Amino acid sequence: MTDRQIIELFLHRDESGIAELERQYGTRLTRIAEGFLSREDSEECVNDTWLAAWNHIPPDEPRNLFAYLAVILRNKALNRLKAEQAKKRSVEVVELSEELAACIPDPKADTENEALSSFSDVLNRFLQAESPENRKMFVLRFWYGKSFREIAERFGCSEAKVQKTLNRMKHQLKRKYKKDRNQ
Amino acid sequence: MNKTVLVESIINQIDIRYVEEALEPSSVPQASSVRSLIQKPVYLAAAALVVCLVIGGAVFAGIRNKLITGPNDPDIISESTHETPLAERRFRCEVLSLANGGPFSPFLTQSDLAVQWGSGLFQSQTAAKEITVTFEGTAYHGVYSYSYVPSGLGVTHDVYKPEIPAEGDYNYFEVNSSTGDLVFIHLASPRLLLEEKEASFISQEEIDEIAKQWAAKWIPLDEYEKEVEFRDTQDDDWDFYAYRFWSKVNGVETTDYVSVMVSNKGRLIYIGASQAGWSREHRAELEAFPVEEAILKGIEASGFVSPTINVKRLGITSENEIVLLLGLNGTEEEGAVLFVIRRED
């Protein structure tokens, strides 16, 4: 069943749409959830995601259904971490946002929507041009909120190397964004 | 919106492909991660699979060259890599339910094996309004909801759901509208089942006849530079292995992929495909989507678990339908499976 057909089921309030959603994307979303949470919590989080999708479609009609679900799931997962008083992790998420915010010039210069749109575009093009290993490090750090140590263990390298790689990428990203804005 | 919220919004717009990619194992592990790999059977299995693919590649390439042929090739019908005649027309099928309450298939019959592409929902005037099916000794009563055609061979599935959504331990089930056989049930409650079920099968003559019809429309694919990237998504906590293959056409990665699921006993239980991200602009370029290569690699992958499956015939039709005839052996009984994958316009 295509994404459009699933969305049509949602628009017609046909609950089989949820089952189809689970059938189509359950495994992939669970895997992403496990990037944040324990297996048990991941299953609950994915179920919360189905419910949230049911409550938001309509009025939402996502163009990329899986990406839409993944963002819901990420927010649910982060909220769950905060709710469980995983202070270290939630503090880290804020720190991460500040870390990446350094790459973005003062948003007052643009409207916020423009800043959001243009930087997202630059960011994805930047990631596309990077090597898969660097890209994974970046996404693990900023999307999944992994620590330097966790990333280093995953790649079998030192924490220093991870920090160095990510710092270099942030500087390059900032330069690329500035360059694109000036063009 | 403060800057932190803005950044969070930006992070949420990171391309979903990269989000999934980040969870894949590192391709260039260093010494410490090699040690880590050795401690993880999943990665070991994946590594062994890669080795199997490399070793098997050369042999398989020879087979493949024989399998993909031009239009109206009269030899294709008689060509087979299956050494043993398929005297037995029935085979034992494995019923798999996932621990998370996911779907399973009492492994389908005939054309129901085809992948769910090009389907559309509709209300059938002839479908029974209510029906009760029995599975594993439990009766499931459902009320007719809708029908759809999941395969390229035109068999309709009628979908039934419980009258009260919370009733029973299933979400819905599907029956073959022609035969009334249960072909799919989606359980709502977590459970893990692994049983043997018998499924009737069409005769070899019928398969040959269908294959002839498709083979008459096969077209060559040689002019496209095709590449398939294997991404392992197997999970050692479940009783199946899932292999996923992304495709590239002329060096451009598409968002199409093929999933091949194999039970831990080495039986093929599912081949599925996604055409997410399709657009009209890319359609011309994708007309020779290398899904058949992905499936071939999936078959190889299944051979890693247990060498039970071989490909008898393969082709793509001018209507973008990929036909794959498989032989299943290495088990007590034998059978053959015809897959048709139809691309959606």
Side-chain angles (χ1 to χ4, degrees):
Chain A
M1 187 173 286
T2 65
D3 283 359
R4 189 62 227 172
Q5 287 168 331
I6 294 174
I7 290 170
E8 285 295 329
L9 290 175
F10 273 63
L11 294 178
H12 290 92
R13 310 314 289 159
D14 184 337
E15 290 180 4
S16 66
I18 297 176
E20 289 298 338
L21 208 57
E22 185 176 1
R23 189 168 161 183
Q24 188 97 345
Y25 295 121
T27 304
R28 291 167 72 189
L29 273 186
T30 302
R31 189 161 178 257
I32 289 177
E34 287 171 3
F36 295 97
L37 305 165
S38 69
R39 176 153 298 187
E40 195 175 73
D41 286 346
S42 294
E43 286 182 9
E44 286 183 22
C45 191
V46 170
N47 285 334
D48 289 347
T49 302
W50 304 143
L51 182 61
W54 177 254
N55 289 334
H56 288 90
I57 306 173
D60 291 357
E61 289 189 42
R63 286 170 57 194
N64 183 330
L65 184 56
F66 182 57
Y68 175 83
L69 294 170
V71 168
I72 292 177
L73 182 135
R74 179 175 184 263
N75 292 333
K76 294 275 177 200
L78 293 178
N79 286 339
R80 184 174 282 261
L81 286 171
K82 288 173 188 170
E84 290 171 357
Q85 298 180 335
K87 290 180 182 173
K88 185 180 174 187
R89 176 59 67 91
S90 56
V91 166
E92 195 167 37
V93 169
V94 174
E95 286 173 354
L96 281 173
S97 299
E98 289 171 354
E99 193 178 318
L100 194 59
C103 298
I104 309 174
D106 185 1
K108 290 174 188 171
D110 292 316
T111 67
E112 284 167 346
N113 283 340
E114 280 173 349
L116 176 63
S117 170
S118 62
F119 193 82
S120 301
D121 186 42
V122 170
L123 176 59
N124 279 317
R125 278 189 281 120
F126 171 77
L127 289 175
Q128 186 180 19
E130 284 289 318
S131 71
E133 301 298 302
N134 287 354
R135 194 160 58 225
K136 286 178 188 176
M137 281 190 189
F138 189 95
V139 174
L140 284 170
R141 178 71 178 152
F142 294 108
W143 211 88
Y144 290 97
K146 297 291 182 192
S147 68
F148 292 130
R149 183 180 54 77
E150 287 171 310
I151 299 172
E153 283 176 359
R154 192 182 188 97
F155 285 85
C157 62
S158 66
E159 287 185 46
K161 186 188 171 186
V162 174
Q163 285 189 33
K164 192 176 169 185
T165 301
L166 290 174
N167 277 336
R168 180 190 60 74
M169 290 178 75
K170 281 187 293 180
H171 287 132
Q172 287 180 341
L173 177 60
K174 188 172 182 177
R175 278 202 302 274
K176 185 170 175 55
Y177 183 63
K178 277 184 178 173
K179 189 179 168 187
D180 275 33
R181 271 165 49 101
N182 292 332
Q183 280 178 351
Chain B
M1 193 189 297
N2 64 36
K3 202 166 180 179
T4 301
V5 175
L6 176 66
V7 171
E8 271 300 295
S9 301
I10 290 169
I11 292 172
N12 278 336
Q13 293 198 28
I14 287 179
D15 194 312
I16 192 64
R17 288 175 301 172
Y18 306 147
V19 171
E20 289 194 284
E21 177 193 57
L23 295 174
E24 293 165 8
S26 169
S27 59
V28 207
Q30 296 181 7
S32 59
S33 62
V34 169
R35 279 195 299 276
S36 160
L37 282 178
I38 290 171
Q39 293 165 359
K40 295 179 179 175
V42 173
Y43 297 143
L44 256 188
L49 171 61
V50 170
V51 173
C52 285
L53 287 176
V54 170
I55 295 171
V59 176
F60 209 79
I63 295 172
R64 180 183 166 275
N65 287 340
K66 287 185 177 180
L67 292 169
I68 299 178
T69 65
N72 303 316
D73 183 348
D75 292 332
I76 191 69
I77 298 304
S78 58
E79 186 175 45
S80 171
T81 60
H82 200 297
E83 294 177 356
T84 310
L86 296 173
E88 179 61 68
R89 301 300 173 222
R90 298 170 70 85
F91 67 99
R92 298 187 73 80
C93 293
E94 201 163 49
V95 177
L96 183 71
S97 171
L98 307 184
N100 67 349
F104 70 89
S105 162
F107 200 25
L108 317 167
T109 61
Q110 302 181 25
S111 53
D112 297 322
L113 288 163
V115 189
Q116 293 181 22
W117 267 6
S119 62
L121 309 185
F122 62 94
Q123 291 287 319
S124 167
Q125 299 301 313
T126 57
K129 298 304 174 198
E130 295 185 26
I131 196 169
T132 300
V133 296
T134 302
F135 179 70
E136 295 172 339
T138 302
Y140 297 92
H141 184 77
V143 178
Y144 175 74
S145 181
Y146 60 88
S147 299
Y148 72 109
V149 183
S151 78
L153 295 183
V155 174
T156 303
H157 284 192
D158 297 330
V159 179
Y160 290 84
K161 296 193 285 192
E163 197 162 15
I164 304 168
E167 183 186 31
D169 65 344
Y170 71 105
N171 286 327
Y172 63 93
F173 60 80
E174 298 175 15
V175 299
N176 182 318
S177 61
S178 302
T179 64
D181 292 338
L182 174 68
V183 291
F184 188 93
I185 185 166
H186 189 287
L187 296 176
S189 59
R191 57 196 297 191
L192 181 64
L193 298 170
L194 201 60
E195 291 188 3
E196 298 279 330
K197 290 281 174 184
E198 280 200 353
S200 60
F201 208 77
I202 56 177
S203 70
Q204 187 62 46
E205 289 72 23
E206 287 174 277
I207 293 174
D208 284 346
E209 185 54 42
I210 295 169
K212 276 181 190 174
Q213 291 172 14
W214 292 115
K217 297 185 285 186
W218 287 353
I219 57 174
L221 299 168
D222 296 341
E223 66 268 31
Y224 290 87
E225 180 190 339
K226 295 173 295 256
E227 184 183 349
V228 176
E229 182 182 348
F230 167 69
R231 298 181 186 177
D232 184 12
T233 57
Q234 68 185 23
D235 190 319
D236 59 346
D237 282 351
W238 290 348
D239 285 326
F240 69 90
Y241 298 86
Y243 304 97
R244 185 160 290 162
F245 304 88
W246 262 256
S247 65
K248 289 183 179 177
V249 175
N250 294 336
V252 178
E253 182 170 330
T254 74
T255 49
D256 295 2
Y257 63 84
V258 169
S259 294
V260 178
M261 288 171 63
V262 181
S263 81
N264 61 358
K265 292 183 178 176
R267 290 191 179 137
L268 182 68
I269 55 175
Y270 176 77
I271 286 183
S274 164
Q275 77 279 29
W278 264 37
S279 68
R280 285 281 172 195
E281 292 74 30
H282 295 136
R283 179 157 175 74
E285 187 181 33
L286 292 174
E287 282 200 344
F289 174 59
V291 66
E292 76 284 4
E293 291 187 5
I295 293 174
L296 286 177
K297 285 183 180 292
I299 303 309
E300 286 185 281
S302 67
F304 161 70
V305 181
S306 174
T308 58
I309 302 164
N310 52 10
V311 178
K312 296 187 70 186
R313 303 186 189 100
L314 171 76
I316 183 169
T317 75
S318 56
E319 294 165 4
N320 267 344
E321 287 155 320
I322 289 125
V323 181
L324 180 66
L325 186 61
L326 301 179
L328 304 179
N329 58 19
T331 55
E332 289 180 4
E333 296 178 67
E334 295 178 338
V337 181
L338 179 68
F339 286 90
V340 176
I341 300 174
R342 168 171 284 167
R343 302 194 61 178
E344 189 179 42
D345 286 328

